[in-house]
Amino acid sequence: MSSNLNGKVAFINGGSRGIGAASARRLAREGATVAIGYASSASAAEALVEEIKASGGTAIAVKADATDATALTQAIDGVAAQFGRLDILLNSAGILLMGSVDQFSLADFDQTVAVNVRAVFVASKAAAAHMKDGGRIINIGSTNAQRMPFAGGAAYAMSKAALTGLVKGLARDLGARGITVNNVSPGPIDTDMNPANGDFAAALHGLMAIPRHGHADEIAAMVAYLAGPEAGFITGADLLIDGGFAA
Ligand code: NAP
């Protein structure tokens, strides 16, 4: 257990499962108090809180559907009020809806933008209002912002590409206040969204320099680094951790 993040408070938008949950465990292990935002997985979020507490950490679960700007903002304001500060925002909530342009509905397009892009802006705006010098905003992007090698992923790839522009602009907005803003952009990671034993796994591995799914912990490690004191000069970046998917 390191103490890199002792005294820090983190809000994780989409912390109940997958990469967000692994990052919650890791940030807590490094000493941060973590607030785990979730939309529908209440029992997974509560179980994670209990797990973190049992390991000596501090955590709470907060219901906040990322598509509801008011609820998300209130959740972040509430965490900052409860703990007296907010230092780290991780935006990990995301959805992957697939379909080629002739089939893909406008409702699915709008939902993709609402969760993967709009909520990141909403949460960043809310969190930045509470952050002091040393604040950290970290988004989970995707290697698909750079490479979408299959049909059917246009909206998802667009949503993740949008985040590469968003972090550049937000980095400029918040840099003078000592707040950094970055994307961590994974390749295939073994989660509910993209299981290592799923139908697409072999096809994905065929495109990679390191032909395997990554572990959520391998993404959480970069999240923790960016959240920590050594990463204060990294901002506006899109950091690929993709086993060479886009190489
Ligand atoms: P996951 O296991 O499916 O988990 C998704 C998380 O997002 C859950 O905690 C879920 O919470 C939350 N979420 C979804 N919709 C939400 C909403 N409306 N409001 C609040 N939370 C919401 O997926 P994952 O693989 O960990 O994905 C995490 C991030 O990594 C996503 O942004 C994804 O695009 C990105 N990513 C994943 C991969 C991969 O291969 N797995 C690769 C590149 C990028 P609830 O269950 O409570 O709704």
mmCIF file with all atom_site columns, all heavy atoms in Angstrom, residues 153-174:
data_model
loop_
_atom_site.group_PDB
_atom_site.id
_atom_site.type_symbol
_atom_site.label_atom_id
_atom_site.label_alt_id
_atom_site.label_comp_id
_atom_site.label_asym_id
_atom_site.label_entity_id
_atom_site.label_seq_id
_atom_site.pdbx_PDB_ins_code
_atom_site.Cartn_x
_atom_site.Cartn_y
_atom_site.Cartn_z
_atom_site.occupancy
_atom_site.B_iso_or_equiv
_atom_site.pdbx_formal_charge
_atom_site.auth_seq_id
_atom_site.auth_comp_id
_atom_site.auth_asym_id
_atom_site.auth_atom_id
_atom_site.pdbx_PDB_model_num
ATOM 1   N N   . GLY A 1 153 ? -18.562 0.776  -35.939 1.00 0.00 ? 153 GLY A N   1
ATOM 2   C CA  . GLY A 1 153 ? -18.089 1.483  -34.748 1.00 0.00 ? 153 GLY A CA  1
ATOM 3   C C   . GLY A 1 153 ? -17.972 2.981  -34.915 1.00 0.00 ? 153 GLY A C   1
ATOM 4   O O   . GLY A 1 153 ? -17.261 3.632  -34.134 1.00 0.00 ? 153 GLY A O   1
ATOM 5   N N   . ALA A 1 154 ? -18.665 3.538  -35.883 1.00 0.00 ? 154 ALA A N   1
ATOM 6   C CA  . ALA A 1 154 ? -18.467 4.965  -36.196 1.00 0.00 ? 154 ALA A CA  1
ATOM 7   C C   . ALA A 1 154 ? -18.790 5.869  -35.004 1.00 0.00 ? 154 ALA A C   1
ATOM 8   O O   . ALA A 1 154 ? -18.002 6.749  -34.647 1.00 0.00 ? 154 ALA A O   1
ATOM 9   C CB  . ALA A 1 154 ? -19.314 5.350  -37.405 1.00 0.00 ? 154 ALA A CB  1
ATOM 10  N N   . ALA A 1 155 ? -19.951 5.667  -34.385 1.00 0.00 ? 155 ALA A N   1
ATOM 11  C CA  . ALA A 1 155 ? -20.347 6.577  -33.304 1.00 0.00 ? 155 ALA A CA  1
ATOM 12  C C   . ALA A 1 155 ? -19.407 6.431  -32.103 1.00 0.00 ? 155 ALA A C   1
ATOM 13  O O   . ALA A 1 155 ? -19.017 7.424  -31.479 1.00 0.00 ? 155 ALA A O   1
ATOM 14  C CB  . ALA A 1 155 ? -21.790 6.296  -32.882 1.00 0.00 ? 155 ALA A CB  1
ATOM 15  N N   . TYR A 1 156 ? -19.042 5.189  -31.795 1.00 0.00 ? 156 TYR A N   1
ATOM 16  C CA  . TYR A 1 156 ? -18.130 4.968  -30.656 1.00 0.00 ? 156 TYR A CA  1
ATOM 17  C C   . TYR A 1 156 ? -16.774 5.619  -30.929 1.00 0.00 ? 156 TYR A C   1
ATOM 18  O O   . TYR A 1 156 ? -16.245 6.343  -30.073 1.00 0.00 ? 156 TYR A O   1
ATOM 19  C CB  . TYR A 1 156 ? -17.972 3.469  -30.414 1.00 0.00 ? 156 TYR A CB  1
ATOM 20  C CG  . TYR A 1 156 ? -17.095 3.133  -29.219 1.00 0.00 ? 156 TYR A CG  1
ATOM 21  C CD1 . TYR A 1 156 ? -17.575 3.263  -27.923 1.00 0.00 ? 156 TYR A CD1 1
ATOM 22  C CD2 . TYR A 1 156 ? -15.781 2.696  -29.393 1.00 0.00 ? 156 TYR A CD2 1
ATOM 23  C CE1 . TYR A 1 156 ? -16.782 2.957  -26.833 1.00 0.00 ? 156 TYR A CE1 1
ATOM 24  C CE2 . TYR A 1 156 ? -14.982 2.383  -28.304 1.00 0.00 ? 156 TYR A CE2 1
ATOM 25  C CZ  . TYR A 1 156 ? -15.489 2.520  -27.017 1.00 0.00 ? 156 TYR A CZ  1
ATOM 26  O OH  . TYR A 1 156 ? -14.689 2.221  -25.937 1.00 0.00 ? 156 TYR A OH  1
ATOM 27  N N   . ALA A 1 157 ? -16.222 5.376  -32.125 1.00 0.00 ? 157 ALA A N   1
ATOM 28  C CA  . ALA A 1 157 ? -14.911 5.955  -32.464 1.00 0.00 ? 157 ALA A CA  1
ATOM 29  C C   . ALA A 1 157 ? -14.972 7.475  -32.424 1.00 0.00 ? 157 ALA A C   1
ATOM 30  O O   . ALA A 1 157 ? -14.067 8.137  -31.904 1.00 0.00 ? 157 ALA A O   1
ATOM 31  C CB  . ALA A 1 157 ? -14.469 5.468  -33.837 1.00 0.00 ? 157 ALA A CB  1
ATOM 32  N N   . MET A 1 158 ? -16.061 8.037  -32.956 1.00 0.00 ? 158 MET A N   1
ATOM 33  C CA  . MET A 1 158 ? -16.235 9.491  -32.926 1.00 0.00 ? 158 MET A CA  1
ATOM 34  C C   . MET A 1 158 ? -16.269 10.001 -31.494 1.00 0.00 ? 158 MET A C   1
ATOM 35  O O   . MET A 1 158 ? -15.649 11.015 -31.157 1.00 0.00 ? 158 MET A O   1
ATOM 36  C CB  . MET A 1 158 ? -17.519 9.873  -33.645 1.00 0.00 ? 158 MET A CB  1
ATOM 37  C CG  . MET A 1 158 ? -17.829 11.355 -33.582 1.00 0.00 ? 158 MET A CG  1
ATOM 38  S SD  . MET A 1 158 ? -19.584 11.703 -33.714 1.00 0.00 ? 158 MET A SD  1
ATOM 39  C CE  . MET A 1 158 ? -20.195 10.988 -32.188 1.00 0.00 ? 158 MET A CE  1
ATOM 40  N N   . SER A 1 159 ? -16.998 9.274  -30.624 1.00 0.00 ? 159 SER A N   1
ATOM 41  C CA  . SER A 1 159 ? -17.126 9.750  -29.243 1.00 0.00 ? 159 SER A CA  1
ATOM 42  C C   . SER A 1 159 ? -15.775 9.764  -28.541 1.00 0.00 ? 159 SER A C   1
ATOM 43  O O   . SER A 1 159 ? -15.490 10.671 -27.755 1.00 0.00 ? 159 SER A O   1
ATOM 44  C CB  . SER A 1 159 ? -18.137 8.883  -28.472 1.00 0.00 ? 159 SER A CB  1
ATOM 45  O OG  . SER A 1 159 ? -17.627 7.601  -28.161 1.00 0.00 ? 159 SER A OG  1
ATOM 46  N N   . LYS A 1 160 ? -14.949 8.776  -28.823 1.00 0.00 ? 160 LYS A N   1
ATOM 47  C CA  . LYS A 1 160 ? -13.638 8.732  -28.167 1.00 0.00 ? 160 LYS A CA  1
ATOM 48  C C   . LYS A 1 160 ? -12.670 9.729  -28.802 1.00 0.00 ? 160 LYS A C   1
ATOM 49  O O   . LYS A 1 160 ? -11.820 10.309 -28.120 1.00 0.00 ? 160 LYS A O   1
ATOM 50  C CB  . LYS A 1 160 ? -13.088 7.303  -28.201 1.00 0.00 ? 160 LYS A CB  1
ATOM 51  C CG  . LYS A 1 160 ? -13.947 6.314  -27.389 1.00 0.00 ? 160 LYS A CG  1
ATOM 52  C CD  . LYS A 1 160 ? -14.076 6.732  -25.928 1.00 0.00 ? 160 LYS A CD  1
ATOM 53  C CE  . LYS A 1 160 ? -14.818 5.725  -25.077 1.00 0.00 ? 160 LYS A CE  1
ATOM 54  N NZ  . LYS A 1 160 ? -14.871 6.089  -23.657 1.00 0.00 ? 160 LYS A NZ  1
ATOM 55  N N   . ALA A 1 161 ? -12.805 9.950  -30.121 1.00 0.00 ? 161 ALA A N   1
ATOM 56  C CA  . ALA A 1 161 ? -11.991 10.982 -30.769 1.00 0.00 ? 161 ALA A CA  1
ATOM 57  C C   . ALA A 1 161 ? -12.347 12.358 -30.209 1.00 0.00 ? 161 ALA A C   1
ATOM 58  O O   . ALA A 1 161 ? -11.474 13.223 -30.051 1.00 0.00 ? 161 ALA A O   1
ATOM 59  C CB  . ALA A 1 161 ? -12.202 10.943 -32.280 1.00 0.00 ? 161 ALA A CB  1
ATOM 60  N N   . ALA A 1 162 ? -13.616 12.561 -29.891 1.00 0.00 ? 162 ALA A N   1
ATOM 61  C CA  . ALA A 1 162 ? -14.033 13.847 -29.321 1.00 0.00 ? 162 ALA A CA  1
ATOM 62  C C   . ALA A 1 162 ? -13.275 14.137 -28.029 1.00 0.00 ? 162 ALA A C   1
ATOM 63  O O   . ALA A 1 162 ? -12.918 15.283 -27.741 1.00 0.00 ? 162 ALA A O   1
ATOM 64  C CB  . ALA A 1 162 ? -15.544 13.840 -29.063 1.00 0.00 ? 162 ALA A CB  1
ATOM 65  N N   . LEU A 1 163 ? -13.005 13.092 -27.257 1.00 0.00 ? 163 LEU A N   1
ATOM 66  C CA  . LEU A 1 163 ? -12.309 13.309 -25.980 1.00 0.00 ? 163 LEU A CA  1
ATOM 67  C C   . LEU A 1 163 ? -10.867 13.771 -26.184 1.00 0.00 ? 163 LEU A C   1
ATOM 68  O O   . LEU A 1 163 ? -10.315 14.454 -25.323 1.00 0.00 ? 163 LEU A O   1
ATOM 69  C CB  . LEU A 1 163 ? -12.320 12.019 -25.146 1.00 0.00 ? 163 LEU A CB  1
ATOM 70  C CG  . LEU A 1 163 ? -13.692 11.513 -24.690 1.00 0.00 ? 163 LEU A CG  1
ATOM 71  C CD1 . LEU A 1 163 ? -13.518 10.293 -23.778 1.00 0.00 ? 163 LEU A CD1 1
ATOM 72  C CD2 . LEU A 1 163 ? -14.484 12.604 -23.980 1.00 0.00 ? 163 LEU A CD2 1
ATOM 73  N N   . THR A 1 164 ? -10.258 13.401 -27.313 1.00 0.00 ? 164 THR A N   1
ATOM 74  C CA  . THR A 1 164 ? -8.872  13.853 -27.527 1.00 0.00 ? 164 THR A CA  1
ATOM 75  C C   . THR A 1 164 ? -8.851  15.368 -27.728 1.00 0.00 ? 164 THR A C   1
ATOM 76  O O   . THR A 1 164 ? -7.910  16.041 -27.306 1.00 0.00 ? 164 THR A O   1
ATOM 77  C CB  . THR A 1 164 ? -8.194  13.127 -28.706 1.00 0.00 ? 164 THR A CB  1
ATOM 78  O OG1 . THR A 1 164 ? -8.833  13.492 -29.925 1.00 0.00 ? 164 THR A OG1 1
ATOM 79  C CG2 . THR A 1 164 ? -8.232  11.616 -28.532 1.00 0.00 ? 164 THR A CG2 1
ATOM 80  N N   . GLY A 1 165 ? -9.886  15.909 -28.366 1.00 0.00 ? 165 GLY A N   1
ATOM 81  C CA  . GLY A 1 165 ? -9.977  17.360 -28.490 1.00 0.00 ? 165 GLY A CA  1
ATOM 82  C C   . GLY A 1 165 ? -10.382 18.015 -27.181 1.00 0.00 ? 165 GLY A C   1
ATOM 83  O O   . GLY A 1 165 ? -9.852  19.068 -26.807 1.00 0.00 ? 165 GLY A O   1
ATOM 84  N N   . LEU A 1 166 ? -11.299 17.359 -26.485 1.00 0.00 ? 166 LEU A N   1
ATOM 85  C CA  . LEU A 1 166 ? -11.789 17.938 -25.227 1.00 0.00 ? 166 LEU A CA  1
ATOM 86  C C   . LEU A 1 166 ? -10.655 18.114 -24.219 1.00 0.00 ? 166 LEU A C   1
ATOM 87  O O   . LEU A 1 166 ? -10.552 19.156 -23.565 1.00 0.00 ? 166 LEU A O   1
ATOM 88  C CB  . LEU A 1 166 ? -12.896 17.046 -24.643 1.00 0.00 ? 166 LEU A CB  1
ATOM 89  C CG  . LEU A 1 166 ? -13.635 17.600 -23.432 1.00 0.00 ? 166 LEU A CG  1
ATOM 90  C CD1 . LEU A 1 166 ? -14.409 18.873 -23.772 1.00 0.00 ? 166 LEU A CD1 1
ATOM 91  C CD2 . LEU A 1 166 ? -14.596 16.556 -22.859 1.00 0.00 ? 166 LEU A CD2 1
ATOM 92  N N   . VAL A 1 167 ? -9.789  17.115 -24.090 1.00 0.00 ? 167 VAL A N   1
ATOM 93  C CA  . VAL A 1 167 ? -8.721  17.255 -23.081 1.00 0.00 ? 167 VAL A CA  1
ATOM 94  C C   . VAL A 1 167 ? -7.738  18.362 -23.453 1.00 0.00 ? 167 VAL A C   1
ATOM 95  O O   . VAL A 1 167 ? -7.193  19.028 -22.564 1.00 0.00 ? 167 VAL A O   1
ATOM 96  C CB  . VAL A 1 167 ? -7.945  15.941 -22.796 1.00 0.00 ? 167 VAL A CB  1
ATOM 97  C CG1 . VAL A 1 167 ? -8.833  14.904 -22.159 1.00 0.00 ? 167 VAL A CG1 1
ATOM 98  C CG2 . VAL A 1 167 ? -7.220  15.399 -23.997 1.00 0.00 ? 167 VAL A CG2 1
ATOM 99  N N   . LYS A 1 168 ? -7.531  18.551 -24.762 1.00 0.00 ? 168 LYS A N   1
ATOM 100 C CA  . LYS A 1 168 ? -6.613  19.636 -25.154 1.00 0.00 ? 168 LYS A CA  1
ATOM 101 C C   . LYS A 1 168 ? -7.189  20.990 -24.750 1.00 0.00 ? 168 LYS A C   1
ATOM 102 O O   . LYS A 1 168 ? -6.483  21.839 -24.199 1.00 0.00 ? 168 LYS A O   1
ATOM 103 C CB  . LYS A 1 168 ? -6.348  19.576 -26.661 1.00 0.00 ? 168 LYS A CB  1
ATOM 104 C CG  . LYS A 1 168 ? -5.501  18.370 -27.047 1.00 0.00 ? 168 LYS A CG  1
ATOM 105 C CD  . LYS A 1 168 ? -5.260  18.300 -28.538 1.00 0.00 ? 168 LYS A CD  1
ATOM 106 C CE  . LYS A 1 168 ? -4.485  17.021 -28.845 1.00 0.00 ? 168 LYS A CE  1
ATOM 107 N NZ  . LYS A 1 168 ? -4.222  16.838 -30.268 1.00 0.00 ? 168 LYS A NZ  1
ATOM 108 N N   . GLY A 1 169 ? -8.462  21.176 -25.023 1.00 0.00 ? 169 GLY A N   1
ATOM 109 C CA  . GLY A 1 169 ? -9.083  22.448 -24.670 1.00 0.00 ? 169 GLY A CA  1
ATOM 110 C C   . GLY A 1 169 ? -9.182  22.648 -23.165 1.00 0.00 ? 169 GLY A C   1
ATOM 111 O O   . GLY A 1 169 ? -8.863  23.724 -22.650 1.00 0.00 ? 169 GLY A O   1
ATOM 112 N N   . LEU A 1 170 ? -9.604  21.606 -22.458 1.00 0.00 ? 170 LEU A N   1
ATOM 113 C CA  . LEU A 1 170 ? -9.739  21.734 -20.994 1.00 0.00 ? 170 LEU A CA  1
ATOM 114 C C   . LEU A 1 170 ? -8.383  21.923 -20.326 1.00 0.00 ? 170 LEU A C   1
ATOM 115 O O   . LEU A 1 170 ? -8.271  22.633 -19.316 1.00 0.00 ? 170 LEU A O   1
ATOM 116 C CB  . LEU A 1 170 ? -10.443 20.505 -20.412 1.00 0.00 ? 170 LEU A CB  1
ATOM 117 C CG  . LEU A 1 170 ? -11.919 20.322 -20.768 1.00 0.00 ? 170 LEU A CG  1
ATOM 118 C CD1 . LEU A 1 170 ? -12.491 19.078 -20.078 1.00 0.00 ? 170 LEU A CD1 1
ATOM 119 C CD2 . LEU A 1 170 ? -12.751 21.549 -20.398 1.00 0.00 ? 170 LEU A CD2 1
ATOM 120 N N   . ALA A 1 171 ? -7.354  21.294 -20.898 1.00 0.00 ? 171 ALA A N   1
ATOM 121 C CA  . ALA A 1 171 ? -6.004  21.475 -20.342 1.00 0.00 ? 171 ALA A CA  1
ATOM 122 C C   . ALA A 1 171 ? -5.619  22.951 -20.390 1.00 0.00 ? 171 ALA A C   1
ATOM 123 O O   . ALA A 1 171 ? -5.015  23.483 -19.446 1.00 0.00 ? 171 ALA A O   1
ATOM 124 C CB  . ALA A 1 171 ? -4.998  20.633 -21.119 1.00 0.00 ? 171 ALA A CB  1
ATOM 125 N N   . ARG A 1 172 ? -5.999  23.617 -21.474 1.00 0.00 ? 172 ARG A N   1
ATOM 126 C CA  . ARG A 1 172 ? -5.708  25.064 -21.605 1.00 0.00 ? 172 ARG A CA  1
ATOM 127 C C   . ARG A 1 172 ? -6.556  25.878 -20.629 1.00 0.00 ? 172 ARG A C   1
ATOM 128 O O   . ARG A 1 172 ? -6.102  26.857 -20.050 1.00 0.00 ? 172 ARG A O   1
ATOM 129 C CB  . ARG A 1 172 ? -6.008  25.517 -23.032 1.00 0.00 ? 172 ARG A CB  1
ATOM 130 C CG  . ARG A 1 172 ? -5.125  24.878 -24.076 1.00 0.00 ? 172 ARG A CG  1
ATOM 131 C CD  . ARG A 1 172 ? -3.781  25.537 -24.126 1.00 0.00 ? 172 ARG A CD  1
ATOM 132 N NE  . ARG A 1 172 ? -2.927  24.904 -25.124 1.00 0.00 ? 172 ARG A NE  1
ATOM 133 C CZ  . ARG A 1 172 ? -1.669  25.245 -25.333 1.00 0.00 ? 172 ARG A CZ  1
ATOM 134 N NH1 . ARG A 1 172 ? -1.112  26.218 -24.631 1.00 0.00 ? 172 ARG A NH1 1
ATOM 135 N NH2 . ARG A 1 172 ? -0.949  24.627 -26.237 1.00 0.00 ? 172 ARG A NH2 1
ATOM 136 N N   . ASP A 1 173 ? -7.822  25.466 -20.465 1.00 0.00 ? 173 ASP A N   1
ATOM 137 C CA  . ASP A 1 173 ? -8.707  26.205 -19.548 1.00 0.00 ? 173 ASP A CA  1
ATOM 138 C C   . ASP A 1 173 ? -8.205  26.136 -18.108 1.00 0.00 ? 173 ASP A C   1
ATOM 139 O O   . ASP A 1 173 ? -8.332  27.098 -17.352 1.00 0.00 ? 173 ASP A O   1
ATOM 140 C CB  . ASP A 1 173 ? -10.122 25.604 -19.573 1.00 0.00 ? 173 ASP A CB  1
ATOM 141 C CG  . ASP A 1 173 ? -10.876 25.910 -20.858 1.00 0.00 ? 173 ASP A CG  1
ATOM 142 O OD1 . ASP A 1 173 ? -10.403 26.735 -21.661 1.00 0.00 ? 173 ASP A OD1 1
ATOM 143 O OD2 . ASP A 1 173 ? -11.947 25.303 -21.060 1.00 0.00 ? 173 ASP A OD2 1
ATOM 144 N N   . LEU A 1 174 ? -7.677  24.979 -17.731 1.00 0.00 ? 174 LEU A N   1
ATOM 145 C CA  . LEU A 1 174 ? -7.433  24.719 -16.310 1.00 0.00 ? 174 LEU A CA  1
ATOM 146 C C   . LEU A 1 174 ? -5.956  24.695 -15.922 1.00 0.00 ? 174 LEU A C   1
ATOM 147 O O   . LEU A 1 174 ? -5.629  24.611 -14.737 1.00 0.00 ? 174 LEU A O   1
ATOM 148 C CB  . LEU A 1 174 ? -8.096  23.380 -15.918 1.00 0.00 ? 174 LEU A CB  1
ATOM 149 C CG  . LEU A 1 174 ? -9.618  23.358 -16.136 1.00 0.00 ? 174 LEU A CG  1
ATOM 150 C CD1 . LEU A 1 174 ? -10.182 21.946 -15.902 1.00 0.00 ? 174 LEU A CD1 1
ATOM 151 C CD2 . LEU A 1 174 ? -10.312 24.364 -15.220 1.00 0.00 ? 174 LEU A CD2 1
#
